[in-house]
Amino acid sequence: MSWASVGQYGIRTMTTLRLALVQLSVGNDKATNISRAVSFIERAKQKRADIVILPECFNSPYGTSHFATYAESIPNGETSTALSEVARKNNVYVIGGTIPERDNEKLYNTCTVWGPDGNLVAKHRKMHLFDINIKGKITFCESDSLSAGNSLTTFEAKDWKIGIGICYDIRFEEMARLYRNKGCQMLIYPAAFNMTTGPLHWSLLQRARANDNQLYVACVSPARGSPPGYVAWGHTQLTNPWGEILDELDAGEDMVVSDIDLKIVNEVRAQIPTFNQRRTDLYDTIWKEN
Protein backbone atom coordinates (compact mmCIF):
# COMPACT_ATOMS: atom_id res chain seq x y z
CA MET A 1 0.00 0.00 0.00
CA SER A 2 1.31 3.42 -0.94
CA TRP A 3 2.27 5.70 1.90
CA ALA A 4 0.25 8.42 0.17
CA SER A 5 -3.03 6.54 0.17
CA VAL A 6 -5.46 5.18 2.70
CA GLY A 7 -5.48 2.11 0.46
CA GLN A 8 -8.01 -0.62 -0.25
CA TYR A 9 -7.92 -1.93 3.32
CA GLY A 10 -7.17 1.31 5.16
CA ILE A 11 -9.19 2.96 7.90
CA ARG A 12 -11.85 5.26 6.51
CA THR A 13 -12.08 8.81 7.84
CA MET A 14 -14.27 11.83 7.17
CA THR A 15 -11.91 12.88 4.38
CA THR A 16 -11.82 9.56 2.52
CA LEU A 17 -13.87 8.46 -0.45
CA ARG A 18 -14.25 4.84 -1.55
CA LEU A 19 -14.13 4.36 -5.32
CA ALA A 20 -15.08 1.30 -7.34
CA LEU A 21 -13.52 1.20 -10.81
CA VAL A 22 -15.34 -1.33 -13.00
CA GLN A 23 -13.61 -2.76 -16.08
CA LEU A 24 -16.53 -4.32 -17.95
CA SER A 25 -16.58 -6.74 -20.85
CA VAL A 26 -18.75 -5.24 -23.58
CA GLY A 27 -20.59 -7.28 -26.20
CA ASN A 28 -23.14 -6.70 -28.95
CA ASP A 29 -26.26 -7.11 -26.80
CA LYS A 30 -27.18 -3.84 -25.10
CA ALA A 31 -29.46 -5.43 -22.49
CA THR A 32 -26.69 -7.81 -21.43
CA ASN A 33 -24.17 -4.97 -21.21
CA ILE A 34 -26.51 -2.96 -19.00
CA SER A 35 -27.27 -5.95 -16.81
CA ARG A 36 -23.55 -6.62 -16.25
CA ALA A 37 -23.02 -3.00 -15.28
CA VAL A 38 -25.89 -3.13 -12.78
CA SER A 39 -24.50 -6.33 -11.28
CA PHE A 40 -21.07 -4.76 -10.74
CA ILE A 41 -22.61 -1.66 -9.17
CA GLU A 42 -24.47 -3.87 -6.70
CA ARG A 43 -21.24 -5.74 -5.91
CA ALA A 44 -19.42 -2.44 -5.40
CA LYS A 45 -22.06 -1.32 -2.91
CA GLN A 46 -21.50 -4.53 -0.97
CA LYS A 47 -17.90 -3.36 -0.62
CA ARG A 48 -19.24 -0.02 0.68
CA ALA A 49 -18.23 2.04 -2.33
CA ASP A 50 -19.28 5.70 -2.36
CA ILE A 51 -18.80 6.15 -6.12
CA VAL A 52 -18.90 3.48 -8.83
CA ILE A 53 -17.28 4.30 -12.18
CA LEU A 54 -18.08 2.49 -15.43
CA PRO A 55 -15.99 2.54 -18.64
CA GLU A 56 -16.39 4.41 -21.90
CA CYS A 57 -19.06 3.04 -24.23
CA PHE A 58 -20.11 0.32 -21.77
CA ASN A 59 -23.52 -0.39 -23.32
CA SER A 60 -22.32 -0.58 -26.91
CA PRO A 61 -19.39 -1.81 -28.98
CA TYR A 62 -17.02 1.09 -29.59
CA GLY A 63 -17.05 2.07 -33.25
CA THR A 64 -18.50 4.69 -35.57
CA SER A 65 -20.70 2.06 -37.22
CA HIS A 66 -22.34 1.24 -33.87
CA PHE A 67 -23.04 4.65 -32.34
CA ALA A 68 -26.29 5.40 -34.19
CA THR A 69 -27.66 1.89 -33.61
CA TYR A 70 -27.09 1.92 -29.85
CA ALA A 71 -27.78 5.63 -29.24
CA GLU A 72 -30.55 6.68 -26.87
CA SER A 73 -31.86 9.79 -25.19
CA ILE A 74 -30.75 11.00 -21.77
CA PRO A 75 -32.26 10.78 -19.17
CA ASN A 76 -35.16 8.78 -20.59
CA GLY A 77 -33.39 5.94 -22.40
CA GLU A 78 -33.15 2.38 -21.11
CA THR A 79 -29.54 2.77 -19.95
CA SER A 80 -30.29 5.96 -18.03
CA THR A 81 -33.32 4.34 -16.42
CA ALA A 82 -31.26 1.36 -15.26
CA LEU A 83 -28.44 3.51 -13.86
CA SER A 84 -30.87 5.81 -12.05
CA GLU A 85 -32.62 2.88 -10.45
CA VAL A 86 -29.47 1.06 -9.33
CA ALA A 87 -27.97 4.27 -7.93
CA ARG A 88 -31.13 4.91 -5.91
CA LYS A 89 -31.55 1.34 -4.68
CA ASN A 90 -27.94 1.17 -3.53
CA ASN A 91 -27.63 4.76 -2.30
CA VAL A 92 -24.45 5.29 -4.30
CA TYR A 93 -23.06 7.72 -6.87
CA VAL A 94 -22.76 6.16 -10.33
CA ILE A 95 -20.49 7.59 -13.00
CA GLY A 96 -22.17 6.00 -16.00
CA GLY A 97 -19.07 5.59 -18.15
CA THR A 98 -20.28 6.77 -21.52
CA ILE A 99 -23.04 5.84 -23.90
CA PRO A 100 -23.91 7.06 -27.41
CA GLU A 101 -26.46 9.82 -26.83
CA ARG A 102 -29.05 10.90 -29.38
CA ASP A 103 -30.26 14.50 -29.14
CA ASN A 104 -32.48 15.43 -32.08
CA GLU A 105 -30.34 14.83 -35.17
CA LYS A 106 -26.98 14.75 -33.38
CA LEU A 107 -25.04 11.99 -31.64
CA TYR A 108 -22.67 12.50 -28.70
CA ASN A 109 -20.34 10.35 -26.62
CA THR A 110 -21.79 11.18 -23.21
CA CYS A 111 -21.02 10.47 -19.55
CA THR A 112 -23.85 10.65 -17.02
CA VAL A 113 -23.51 11.09 -13.25
CA TRP A 114 -26.27 9.75 -11.01
CA GLY A 115 -26.74 10.67 -7.36
CA PRO A 116 -27.65 8.33 -4.50
CA ASP A 117 -31.24 9.54 -4.86
CA GLY A 118 -31.32 8.36 -8.47
CA ASN A 119 -31.37 11.86 -9.93
CA LEU A 120 -29.17 12.94 -12.83
CA VAL A 121 -26.46 15.09 -11.26
CA ALA A 122 -24.42 15.96 -14.36
CA LYS A 123 -23.89 15.10 -18.01
CA HIS A 124 -20.61 15.48 -19.90
CA ARG A 125 -20.34 15.29 -23.67
CA LYS A 126 -16.89 14.39 -24.96
CA MET A 127 -15.25 17.68 -25.94
CA HIS A 128 -12.33 16.37 -28.01
CA LEU A 129 -13.32 13.83 -30.64
CA PHE A 130 -10.97 10.92 -31.26
CA ASP A 131 -9.74 11.52 -34.82
CA ILE A 132 -6.32 9.93 -35.38
CA ASN A 133 -4.36 8.27 -38.17
CA ILE A 134 -1.27 6.29 -37.13
CA LYS A 135 -0.16 4.78 -40.41
CA GLY A 136 -0.11 1.02 -40.50
CA LYS A 137 -1.57 0.73 -37.00
CA ILE A 138 -4.86 2.50 -36.34
CA THR A 139 -7.16 5.01 -38.00
CA PHE A 140 -10.27 6.20 -36.19
CA CYS A 141 -12.54 9.19 -36.77
CA GLU A 142 -15.26 9.83 -34.18
CA SER A 143 -16.28 13.00 -35.99
CA ASP A 144 -17.63 10.84 -38.82
CA SER A 145 -20.68 10.22 -36.62
CA LEU A 146 -20.37 12.19 -33.37
CA SER A 147 -20.64 15.85 -32.43
CA ALA A 148 -18.40 17.43 -29.80
CA GLY A 149 -19.56 18.76 -26.45
CA ASN A 150 -18.76 22.34 -25.46
CA SER A 151 -18.90 22.38 -21.67
CA LEU A 152 -16.79 21.50 -18.65
CA THR A 153 -18.60 19.26 -16.18
CA THR A 154 -18.13 19.13 -12.40
CA PHE A 155 -20.12 17.72 -9.51
CA GLU A 156 -19.67 17.48 -5.74
CA ALA A 157 -19.78 14.35 -3.56
CA LYS A 158 -18.91 14.13 0.14
CA ASP A 159 -16.92 17.41 0.16
CA TRP A 160 -15.05 16.44 -3.02
CA LYS A 161 -15.27 18.43 -6.24
CA ILE A 162 -14.83 16.17 -9.24
CA GLY A 163 -14.30 16.98 -12.92
CA ILE A 164 -15.33 14.71 -15.80
CA GLY A 165 -13.53 14.09 -19.07
CA ILE A 166 -13.82 11.29 -21.61
CA CYS A 167 -10.87 9.36 -23.04
CA TYR A 168 -9.23 11.64 -25.65
CA ASP A 169 -10.04 14.62 -23.40
CA ILE A 170 -7.15 13.56 -21.15
CA ARG A 171 -4.59 14.52 -23.83
CA PHE A 172 -5.51 18.20 -23.48
CA GLU A 173 -3.74 19.54 -20.42
CA GLU A 174 -5.56 22.89 -20.65
CA MET A 175 -8.84 21.14 -19.86
CA ALA A 176 -7.38 19.50 -16.74
CA ARG A 177 -5.89 22.84 -15.66
CA LEU A 178 -9.29 24.51 -15.98
CA TYR A 179 -10.76 21.85 -13.71
CA ARG A 180 -7.98 22.51 -11.19
CA ASN A 181 -8.75 26.23 -11.45
CA LYS A 182 -12.36 25.38 -10.61
CA GLY A 183 -11.23 23.64 -7.42
CA CYS A 184 -11.41 19.98 -8.44
CA GLN A 185 -9.59 17.43 -6.30
CA MET A 186 -10.18 14.52 -8.66
CA LEU A 187 -10.64 13.97 -12.39
CA ILE A 188 -12.50 10.96 -13.77
CA TYR A 189 -12.07 9.81 -17.36
CA PRO A 190 -14.08 6.87 -18.68
CA ALA A 191 -11.80 5.83 -21.52
CA ALA A 192 -10.96 3.17 -24.10
CA PHE A 193 -7.39 3.56 -25.29
CA ASN A 194 -6.35 1.12 -27.98
CA MET A 195 -3.57 -1.41 -28.42
CA THR A 196 -1.29 1.16 -30.09
CA THR A 197 -1.66 4.22 -27.87
CA GLY A 198 -2.47 2.30 -24.70
CA PRO A 199 0.98 0.83 -24.00
CA LEU A 200 2.64 4.15 -24.83
CA HIS A 201 0.43 6.84 -23.36
CA TRP A 202 -2.34 5.45 -21.12
CA SER A 203 -0.47 5.46 -17.82
CA LEU A 204 1.81 8.36 -18.79
CA LEU A 205 -1.08 10.76 -19.41
CA GLN A 206 -2.83 9.86 -16.17
CA ARG A 207 0.30 10.37 -14.10
CA ALA A 208 1.00 13.66 -15.91
CA ARG A 209 -2.48 15.08 -15.32
CA ALA A 210 -2.38 13.97 -11.66
CA ASN A 211 1.08 15.40 -11.03
CA ASP A 212 0.55 18.64 -12.96
CA ASN A 213 -2.67 19.47 -11.16
CA GLN A 214 -1.99 17.75 -7.83
CA LEU A 215 -5.18 15.72 -7.77
CA TYR A 216 -6.42 12.15 -8.11
CA VAL A 217 -7.06 10.74 -11.58
CA ALA A 218 -9.24 7.70 -12.27
CA CYS A 219 -9.36 6.24 -15.79
CA VAL A 220 -11.75 3.34 -16.35
CA SER A 221 -11.48 1.21 -19.48
CA PRO A 222 -13.59 -1.59 -20.91
CA ALA A 223 -12.03 -5.02 -20.66
CA ARG A 224 -9.99 -6.08 -23.66
CA GLY A 225 -12.04 -7.74 -26.37
CA SER A 226 -10.98 -9.65 -29.45
CA PRO A 227 -10.65 -8.54 -33.07
CA PRO A 228 -12.31 -7.68 -35.37
CA GLY A 229 -13.37 -4.26 -34.25
CA TYR A 230 -11.87 -1.84 -31.78
CA VAL A 231 -9.75 -3.54 -29.11
CA ALA A 232 -9.36 -1.66 -25.81
CA TRP A 233 -6.07 -1.69 -23.90
CA GLY A 234 -7.78 -2.19 -20.53
CA HIS A 235 -5.52 -1.46 -17.53
CA THR A 236 -8.01 0.65 -15.57
CA GLN A 237 -5.90 2.84 -13.28
CA LEU A 238 -6.12 5.05 -10.19
CA THR A 239 -3.37 7.64 -9.64
CA ASN A 240 -2.75 9.92 -6.66
CA PRO A 241 -1.64 13.59 -6.54
CA TRP A 242 2.02 12.53 -6.27
CA GLY A 243 1.70 10.79 -9.64
CA GLU A 244 1.86 7.37 -7.98
CA ILE A 245 -0.24 4.52 -9.37
CA LEU A 246 -2.39 3.30 -6.48
CA ASP A 247 -4.27 0.55 -8.32
CA GLU A 248 -4.15 -0.96 -11.79
CA LEU A 249 -6.11 -3.79 -13.39
CA ASP A 250 -4.91 -6.04 -16.18
CA ALA A 251 -6.85 -6.59 -19.42
CA GLY A 252 -9.79 -8.75 -18.30
CA GLU A 253 -13.12 -7.93 -16.73
CA ASP A 254 -12.54 -6.98 -13.11
CA MET A 255 -13.18 -4.35 -10.45
CA VAL A 256 -10.94 -2.56 -7.97
CA VAL A 257 -12.25 -0.84 -4.85
CA SER A 258 -9.95 1.66 -3.19
CA ASP A 259 -10.06 4.52 -0.69
CA ILE A 260 -8.63 7.94 -1.49
CA ASP A 261 -7.99 10.71 1.02
CA LEU A 262 -8.67 14.41 0.53
CA LYS A 263 -5.90 15.20 3.01
CA ILE A 264 -3.34 13.91 0.49
CA VAL A 265 -4.51 16.49 -2.04
CA ASN A 266 -4.18 19.27 0.50
CA GLU A 267 -0.77 18.07 1.69
CA VAL A 268 0.72 17.87 -1.81
CA ARG A 269 -0.60 21.30 -2.73
CA ALA A 270 0.81 22.81 0.47
CA GLN A 271 4.22 21.14 0.15
CA ILE A 272 4.73 21.94 -3.55
CA PRO A 273 2.63 25.09 -4.05
CA THR A 274 2.82 25.34 -7.84
CA PHE A 275 -0.73 26.66 -8.16
CA ASN A 276 0.16 29.89 -6.37
CA GLN A 277 3.58 30.10 -8.04
CA ARG A 278 2.27 30.19 -11.61
CA ARG A 279 3.24 33.41 -13.41
CA THR A 280 -0.26 34.46 -14.35
CA ASP A 281 1.12 37.93 -14.97
CA LEU A 282 2.82 36.36 -18.02
CA TYR A 283 0.62 33.38 -18.97
CA ASP A 284 -2.66 31.78 -18.03
CA THR A 285 -5.21 29.16 -19.04
CA ILE A 286 -8.71 30.53 -19.56
CA TRP A 287 -12.15 29.17 -20.37
CA LYS A 288 -13.99 31.00 -23.15
CA GLU A 289 -17.65 30.83 -22.18
CA ASN A 290 -20.14 30.21 -24.96
Side-chain angles (χ1 to χ4, degrees):
M1 181 176 68
S2 166
W3 68 270
S5 170
V6 175
Q8 186 173 356
Y9 302 106
I11 299 172
R12 301 183 72 182
T13 70
M14 293 296 292
T15 61
T16 62
L17 194 67
R18 181 160 293 176
L19 305 179
L21 282 60
V22 181
Q23 186 164 282
L24 282 173
S25 292
V26 179
N28 292 320
D29 186 80
K30 181 193 277 192
T32 299
N33 294 333
I34 296 171
S35 177
R36 293 178 76 85
V38 168
S39 176
F40 268 95
I41 293 167
E42 292 171 343
R43 286 169 55 187
K45 179 58 178 181
Q46 292 172 4
K47 296 179 180 292
R48 296 185 297 132
D50 298 306
I51 297 179
V52 187
I53 311 169
L54 302 177
E56 182 178 24
C57 220
F58 77 91
N59 74 343
S60 161
Y62 183 68
T64 55
S65 63
H66 300 295
F67 294 143
T69 303
Y70 287 79
E72 58 185 71
S73 64
I74 295 173
N76 301 315
E78 60 185 301
T79 305
S80 292
T81 299
L83 294 181
S84 172
E85 183 176 2
V86 72
R88 180 184 58 80
K89 284 184 175 180
N90 290 276
N91 191 37
V92 68
Y93 284 92
V94 173
I95 313 300
T98 79
I99 66 170
E101 177 196 6
R102 186 184 302 279
D103 186 1
N104 294 318
E105 299 302 314
K106 291 186 175 182
L107 300 177
Y108 299 91
N109 189 351
T110 302
C111 175
T112 56
V113 179
W114 303 90
D117 57 2
N119 289 330
L120 182 64
V121 172
K123 180 176 77 170
H124 179 74
R125 290 170 169 169
K126 191 173 189 175
M127 289 180 60
H128 303 93
L129 298 182
F130 182 54
D131 291 358
I132 68 166
N133 181 15
I134 303 175
K135 296 187 184 301
K137 293 185 177 181
I138 181 172
T139 298
F140 202 94
C141 193
E142 274 190 326
S143 63
D144 283 347
S145 56
L146 299 179
S147 297
N150 297 311
S151 299
L152 298 175
T153 305
T154 65
F155 73 101
E156 295 187 15
K158 295 182 178 289
D159 297 324
W160 289 71
K161 189 167 186 179
I162 300 168
I164 301 291
I166 298 172
C167 200
Y168 202 53
D169 285 339
I170 199 172
R171 289 188 178 272
F172 298 88
E173 68 275 11
E174 298 95 337
M175 182 176 175
R177 168 55 63 178
L178 288 166
Y179 277 135
R180 168 68 197 272
N181 291 351
K182 287 179 172 287
C184 289
Q185 297 114 348
M186 178 166 59
L187 301 181
I188 294 174
Y189 297 89
F193 272 44
N194 55 72
M195 298 299 292
T196 297
T197 61
L200 290 171
H201 300 148
W202 172 255
S203 184
L204 171 68
L205 287 165
Q206 293 175 65
R207 295 186 66 204
R209 298 294 86 81
N211 181 69
D212 289 348
N213 297 290
Q214 300 172 314
L215 41 66
Y216 287 93
V217 171
C219 280
V220 183
S221 171
R224 189 176 304 170
S226 301
Y230 189 93
V231 180
W233 170 239
H235 291 273
T236 288
Q237 180 176 311
L238 176 64
T239 307
N240 76 3
W242 290 106
E244 294 177 302
I245 299 171
L246 301 182
D247 284 294
E248 180 185 3
L249 296 177
D250 204 332
E253 183 174 82
D254 203 350
M255 176 176 68
V256 64
V257 179
S258 188
D259 291 343
I260 59 175
D261 196 334
L262 188 59
K263 288 193 295 187
I264 301 301
V265 178
N266 296 333
E267 288 173 4
V268 172
R269 293 179 177 182
Q271 292 168 17
I272 309 176
T274 55
F275 188 75
N276 295 327
Q277 294 169 336
R278 295 175 70 237
R279 290 293 306 276
T280 53
D281 57 322
L282 300 177
Y283 58 81
D284 206 351
T285 303
I286 62 170
W287 173 253
K288 297 181 179 180
E289 299 278 356
N290 288 331

